[in-house]
Amino acid sequence: MPSSTSAWPPNVPPKRLNRPTAPSYHESVFINCPFDGGYKRLFEATVFTVFYGGYIPRCALEIYNSGQVRTEKIFKLIENCQFGIHDISRTELDVESKLPRFNMPLELGMFLGAQRFGAGRHKNKNCLILDREPYRYQQFLSDISGQDIAAHGGDATALIAKVRDWLNTVARARPLPAGGAIASHIAVFQMDAPAICANLHLVPNELTFVDYGRVVRDWLASTQPIPA
């Protein structure tokens, strides 16, 4: 287990953490996944791994604009992201409505449509599609057969490895360490996070998506690089 003084990913240039307010298209990763408490651990692991890889996670939770139609928010995010992570594993019926939620497949379709019909830079969009079990998607979303679907089994460490392996193929920086190493850094981050929250006057269990990203970036920026 690495210590918090040596938790920096050795292959991520520190300068990439000093970012402008609006991240560039080529470093933005659109995250399309459940946002409920049951998925929180996997969501935070995804966000951390994207930051760790030197990229910027983007999702609908970053936008607070009651006057903007939700689909327009999603279209704008997809327009501004070259990369996307889409988890279509949530197929359970909603407890209250007794109906499934189709937001994730819809947003995946929007992303694939932008790649297929968009011009210029949109032709270079690249995405990772996740599900809980291999080939399960064929029973409820068979039209994406032929896509390379990655299964995580509902396990955060497995998800981290899938996201890491995908980022490692698209990253412009040097290769990333293995998924297990990233998972161990997340464990250290989780121990350090309450102190960072205190310094930022934030409450750990009340972090918004933007707050969580700020805490992750502060942790990465404050740790020292591992000697080569």
Side-chain angles (χ1 to χ4, degrees):
M1 180 71 68
S3 66
S4 59
T5 59
S6 61
W8 177 273
N11 299 316
V12 180
K15 64 181 181 180
R16 298 194 67 180
L17 294 173
N18 299 320
R19 305 184 184 280
T21 301
S24 74
Y25 173 80
H26 299 291
E27 66 181 352
S28 295
V29 181
F30 174 62
I31 298 181
N32 166 28
C33 69
F35 296 140
D36 57 72
Y39 193 85
K40 181 179 179 182
R41 186 169 55 90
L42 298 178
F43 177 54
E44 292 183 347
T46 301
V47 171
F48 183 97
T49 305
V50 171
F51 273 125
Y52 191 103
Y55 287 81
I56 298 295
R58 311 287 304 278
C59 80
L61 295 178
E62 72 183 61
I63 302 172
Y64 287 88
N65 183 354
S66 300
Q68 187 178 25
V69 178
R70 180 177 173 84
T71 53
E72 288 302 318
K73 298 178 185 179
I74 303 302
F75 279 130
K76 191 66 177 178
L77 282 169
I78 291 173
E79 179 185 2
N80 291 324
C81 295
Q82 180 176 357
F83 306 104
I85 297 174
H86 304 265
D87 193 328
I88 57 173
S89 63
R90 179 57 56 78
T91 58
E92 297 85 356
L93 300 183
D94 182 80
V95 175
E96 296 183 2
S97 70
K98 307 301 181 185
L99 295 171
R101 295 184 61 83
F102 295 128
N103 288 342
M104 279 67 75
L106 172 63
E107 293 175 22
L108 169 60
M110 293 162 71
F111 192 95
L112 294 177
Q115 180 185 32
R116 174 65 177 80
F117 298 108
R121 66 185 187 179
H122 298 295
K123 295 295 184 182
N124 295 321
K125 286 186 181 296
N126 188 307
C127 69
L128 170 68
I129 305 175
L130 298 163
D131 194 7
R132 186 179 301 116
E133 303 168 12
Y135 312 113
R136 188 183 71 130
Y137 69 93
Q138 295 177 350
Q139 302 176 46
F140 65 90
L141 199 60
S142 59
D143 280 356
I144 62 171
S145 294
Q147 300 275 352
D148 188 13
I149 312 299
H152 54 64
D155 178 73
T157 299
L159 182 145
I160 291 165
K162 299 298 182 181
V163 173
R164 175 267 174 201
D165 290 347
W166 172 69
L167 282 177
N168 208 42
T169 67
V170 302
R172 299 182 303 277
R174 289 174 289 174
L176 297 172
I182 298 175
S184 68
H185 291 310
I186 290 181
V188 176
F189 162 74
Q190 290 170 340
M191 292 187 293
D192 293 345
I196 298 174
C197 287
N199 290 336
L200 296 174
H201 304 288
L202 297 171
V203 179
N205 61 356
E206 297 178 1
L207 297 179
T208 65
F209 171 73
V210 174
D211 290 336
Y212 181 74
R214 184 181 178 190
V215 173
V216 172
R217 290 195 304 271
D218 275 24
W219 185 82
L220 289 172
S222 66
T223 54
Q224 299 298 315
I226 298 174

